[in-house]
Amino acid sequence: MSSGSGRGVITADGCAVEVYLKLPALGEAEIVHQAAAAGATVLDLGAGAGRITHRLVELGHDVVAVDQSADMLAHVYGAETVCAPIAGLDLRRRFDAVLMASHLVNTPDESERRALLEAAARHVAADGVVVVEWHPPGWFDTAVDGVGGVVGEVRVQLCDVHRNGDLLDATVRYWSGDELWTQTFTARRLDDEALHRELRGAGLSFDRWLRDDHTWFAARPAS
């Protein structure tokens, strides 16, 4: 179970709204822009405060931003917003591109992971693309206490890392000035074979890697 701490609103999955307002886009929208056609409609699943959505809009995309936190979505502008969980979502619409950022594929619970992928499959057009960020297998070998860096004005550090088979539990610390926020999470390691199997089970098929480090990939509706 994810949890978080710090000043301001903490969402049900442990995200601090104030932190997400400070984090800049890091080229994620450009990955979607290159994977999809110019002007493609985009469904941003788990959009948060709009960090990626806003940049997608700037790039000329019509975006629907979905998040289960109304406090996050209150900061989204220039896009339609839907406050709802991703699992079970059915907007009765299909999009040229569906974005699943923030390592949703590494959700530890198998049934929840399947529901997230099925939501993506349910909303992508027959000739569309699902763009996914994940923790590749190698990340689990390098995730250790003290790993981090600076993202915009926020200093980030991983701590309390524990492994149990394919599961990794950890806490992320975020600092901005003198303020500290934390967020705990659990991620499941999937190898490439497991990833392909999970995609097939949701009606998707692996298409290609979108970055050389294999942190982003594209999937398509299974034929």
Side-chain angles (χ1 to χ4, degrees):
M1 180 68 69
S2 298
S3 62
S5 67
R7 185 182 67 186
V9 176
I10 306 296
T11 65
D13 56 355
C15 298
V17 174
E18 288 195 30
V19 170
Y20 278 73
L21 288 173
K22 296 176 184 293
L23 293 173
L26 297 173
E28 301 94 340
E30 283 75 10
I31 293 173
V32 180
H33 185 67
Q34 292 171 7
T41 56
V42 180
L43 179 64
D44 186 356
L45 297 176
R51 186 176 60 86
I52 304 175
T53 289
H54 297 151
R55 179 60 182 146
L56 284 168
V57 171
E58 291 175 358
L59 290 170
H61 297 280
D62 181 9
V63 184
V64 174
V66 176
D67 202 276
Q68 64 179 347
S69 169
D71 294 291
M72 286 285 195
L73 289 178
H75 299 280
V76 174
Y77 55 85
E80 180 184 343
T81 60
V82 175
C83 187
I86 299 170
L89 182 73
D90 191 352
L91 301 180
R92 308 287 180 178
R93 299 163 60 183
R94 292 188 178 265
F95 297 79
D96 301 318
V98 176
L99 170 61
M100 292 182 65
S102 301
H103 318 105
L104 294 173
V105 169
N106 298 103
T107 295
D109 182 79
E110 181 177 350
S111 60
E112 183 180 359
R113 183 168 57 254
R114 176 63 58 83
L116 296 173
L117 288 169
E118 287 177 344
R122 192 160 47 243
H123 290 93
V124 68
D127 58 350
V129 61
V130 180
V131 179
V132 185
E133 179 184 23
W134 78 319
H135 287 308
W139 176 86
F140 289 81
D141 299 324
T142 60
V144 295
D145 287 355
V147 167
V150 177
V151 183
E153 64 178 89
V154 180
R155 185 159 59 94
V156 183
Q157 185 182 64
L158 204 62
C159 66
D160 300 328
V161 177
H162 300 284
R163 291 175 172 81
N164 180 15
D166 289 333
L167 295 178
L168 183 145
D169 299 306
T171 297
V172 186
R173 292 174 177 166
Y174 301 95
W175 287 271
S176 179
D178 295 330
E179 292 289 337
L180 169 65
W181 294 265
T182 69
Q183 181 180 1
T184 64
F185 70 92
T186 301
R188 182 175 295 280
R189 177 175 183 156
L190 302 172
D191 60 22
D192 288 356
E193 181 180 351
L195 173 63
H196 286 231
R197 184 173 61 249
E198 293 287 336
L199 292 172
R200 288 195 302 269
L204 298 168
S205 62
F206 181 87
D207 183 46
R208 67 191 190 279
W209 299 112
L210 298 175
R211 284 180 52 120
D212 291 341
D213 62 5
H214 289 194
T215 55
W216 287 82
F217 65 86
R220 302 276 182 180
S223 55

